[in-house]
Amino acid sequence: PISNSEGDILFLLDSSGSVSYYEFSRVKEFMWDLVQPFTFGPKDVQTSIIHISTTPTMEFPFDRYLSSGALQQAIRDTQQLMGDTNTGKALSYAKEKFFSDEAGARPDVPKVLVWVTDGFSTDDISEPMQLLKDMGVTVFIVSTGRGNYLELSAAASQPPEKHLHFVDVDDLPIITKELRDAILDVIQANRLHAVDITSSSFRLMWPEFLSQETGYYTLEYAPRDDLARKRTKQVSGAHTSLTLSNLAPETTYEVVLIPESNVHYFPPQTTRVTTLAEEISPAEVLISDSGPHSFHVSWAPTPDSVIGYQILYGPLPGNSVKLLEVDGKHNSTVVENLAPNTTYLVTVTAIYKSGQEKSLSAKACTQE
């Protein structure tokens, strides 16, 4: 899940009669896939939907659904309104709702508009869209129809190659990750966040609050369950990133960045980062209890971060290979139905939750 990211994401959903029932249901699936990894809540991501129809209608306000299950159900239950494609009207309405308390919007968080359209609008969109952008909203447009490229690229935030997608409704899943990453960049750009996270380090990035002349940053960090072990670093005001290393694996750190400015007061920035599990490959592969048609393979160790093992074995020389899959909780298996008096190459591959793989091989001989 993606947490520690505050932002209001508003979907502008083409709910007019020009969209088929099939297209509408595919777009709903896409919306859910896009936001599904986020954590929702008053300190995380909030999302809302406005229908484009004859009259714009809000499906639910930003602060209504604060769990991913409830939000998924709400998106699923969203019904198409039919009517005209009055996108300009819907944009003006979106502008009110994006900045209003009654719609659950928050004053100081990044605002993202995702407009999914079949490319067609009956009223003018350029003026209301410009007003939204002037107020700091980042506009992403996904066009599933032909659409006027010039009009849409002028309407999207700049540069269009990052904010405008033309894609067939059946190919929406192709752009989901790219669009989600771009939304994440917007949400995180104005706050302290971590990148390049490993089992023992991560790099912190933050906006340019200070310069070389106007001050310095104090950075404090400690394991969440042992805040007494706080460590402090200071860097000059010219920095906007810092790598912390020698950290413990699978540990959540609380991090505070304090901009010490001699000009303005900046509130401390906080984030929470969890290091990855240590990747331990199979340290050794042992073969025992060898008979004419079987042998026992064992390996060590079995860290929690392993979800499973693949055992590949085949006679040497030769290229016929068989595969055994073993649950990550086990560290041995018996290989059977082998030919007697034959040398086999056995490779054990550990598959980690992170998707990484580590392999180690050994040779084994069956008896006569």
Side-chain angles (χ1 to χ4, degrees):
I2 303 168
S3 57
N4 236 311
S5 303
E6 276 185 278
D8 287 344
I9 302 173
L10 179 64
F11 286 102
L12 202 56
L13 176 60
D14 190 342
S15 194
S16 67
S18 68
V19 178
S20 73
Y21 174 78
Y22 174 74
E23 286 174 320
F24 192 77
S25 57
R26 292 310 298 260
V27 167
K28 289 201 299 185
E29 277 171 46
F30 167 69
M31 293 188 331
W32 166 244
D33 287 343
L34 193 63
V35 295
Q36 181 252 325
F38 289 107
T39 307
F40 303 99
K43 287 264 170 261
D44 287 285
V45 165
Q46 295 188 158
T47 188
S48 170
I49 294 176
I50 288 177
H51 292 270
I52 301 169
S53 179
T54 308
T55 312
T57 309
M58 180 176 272
E59 178 71 22
F60 49 81
F62 288 105
D63 53 359
R64 178 162 305 161
Y65 298 109
L66 304 181
S67 76
S68 87
L71 181 66
Q72 180 178 22
Q73 196 53 51
I75 291 175
R76 235 180 232 152
D77 293 343
T78 299
Q79 300 290 315
Q80 191 171 353
L81 301 181
M82 310 310 276
D84 295 332
T85 316
N86 289 332
T87 309
K89 263 192 189 169
L91 286 166
S92 303
Y93 180 70
K95 184 180 135 255
E96 288 164 36
K97 297 303 172 200
F98 240 141
F99 300 97
S100 80
D101 292 350
E102 32 121 28
R106 297 162 290 179
D108 320 324
V109 306
K111 311 255 183 271
V112 173
L113 179 73
V114 180
W115 171 29
V116 187
T117 171
D118 59 5
F120 174 75
S121 178
T122 43
D123 57 355
D124 174 59
I125 63 164
S126 55
E127 196 178 328
M129 193 63 103
Q130 194 53 53
L131 282 171
L132 272 169
K133 290 192 287 194
D134 291 346
M135 293 177 82
V137 176
T138 304
V139 177
F140 291 95
I141 301 176
V142 178
S143 176
T144 59
R146 300 282 64 86
N148 176 335
Y149 179 79
L150 288 174
E151 183 181 49
L152 292 178
S153 61
S157 288
Q158 298 301 309
E161 54 271 19
K162 204 174 164 177
H163 298 86
L164 174 62
H165 293 273
F166 280 86
V167 61
D168 192 75
V169 76
D170 285 319
D171 294 333
L172 283 168
I174 295 171
I175 64 161
T176 302
K177 185 178 179 328
E178 189 186 334
L179 180 56
R180 185 191 302 129
D181 289 347
I183 291 172
L184 198 57
D185 283 346
V186 173
I187 290 175
Q188 293 189 331
N190 70 343
R191 53 178 300 151
L192 175 69
H193 63 281
V195 295
D196 304 339
I197 302 169
T198 71
S199 60
S200 62
S201 67
F202 50 78
R203 187 153 68 95
L204 292 163
M205 298 186 69
W206 59 86
E208 221 172 285
F209 296 109
L210 312 173
S211 64
Q212 187 81 44
E213 292 75 48
T214 59
Y216 61 93
Y217 296 101
T218 300
L219 193 90
E220 300 176 345
Y221 61 103
R224 188 180 169 187
D225 49 15
D226 190 2
L227 296 173
R229 292 194 13 233
K230 183 175 83 174
R231 287 182 258 176
T232 305
K233 287 188 184 291
Q234 284 188 341
V235 291
S236 85
H239 284 72
T240 54
S241 80
L242 177 67
T243 298
L244 299 183
S245 47
N246 302 327
L247 305 173
E250 280 189 283
T251 303
T252 301
Y253 284 86
E254 296 284 353
V255 183
V256 183
L257 177 80
I258 305 156
E260 312 270 11
S261 166
N262 48 30
V263 186
H264 293 287
Y265 166 73
F266 292 103
Q269 296 265 313
T270 60
T271 188
R272 180 177 288 168
V273 190
T274 304
T275 50
L276 302 182
E278 235 168 337
E279 305 282 338
I280 314 170
S281 57
E284 50 183 344
V285 174
L286 298 169
I287 310 288
S288 56
D289 301 341
S290 183
H293 300 290
S294 68
F295 49 73
H296 185 258
V297 183
S298 58
W299 56 89
T302 52
D304 287 346
S305 49
V306 171
I307 48 173
Y309 295 94
Q310 289 184 340
I311 321 302
L312 284 168
Y313 60 97
L316 288 173
N319 49 13
S320 69
V321 177
K322 290 195 167 131
L323 167 68
L324 266 179
E325 306 228 13
V326 178
D327 187 296
K329 296 187 195 53
H330 300 292
N331 67 339
S332 67
T333 188
V334 176
V335 181
E336 296 173 311
N337 304 328
L338 304 174
N341 199 16
T342 305
T343 303
Y344 283 84
L345 179 66
V346 181
T347 303
V348 177
T349 302
I351 294 148
Y352 291 86
K353 285 177 186 156
S354 63
Q356 278 190 296
E357 298 184 3
K358 300 276 176 71
S359 302
L360 211 64
S361 300
K363 283 182 187 170
C365 294
T366 49
Q367 292 176 351
E368 288 186 37

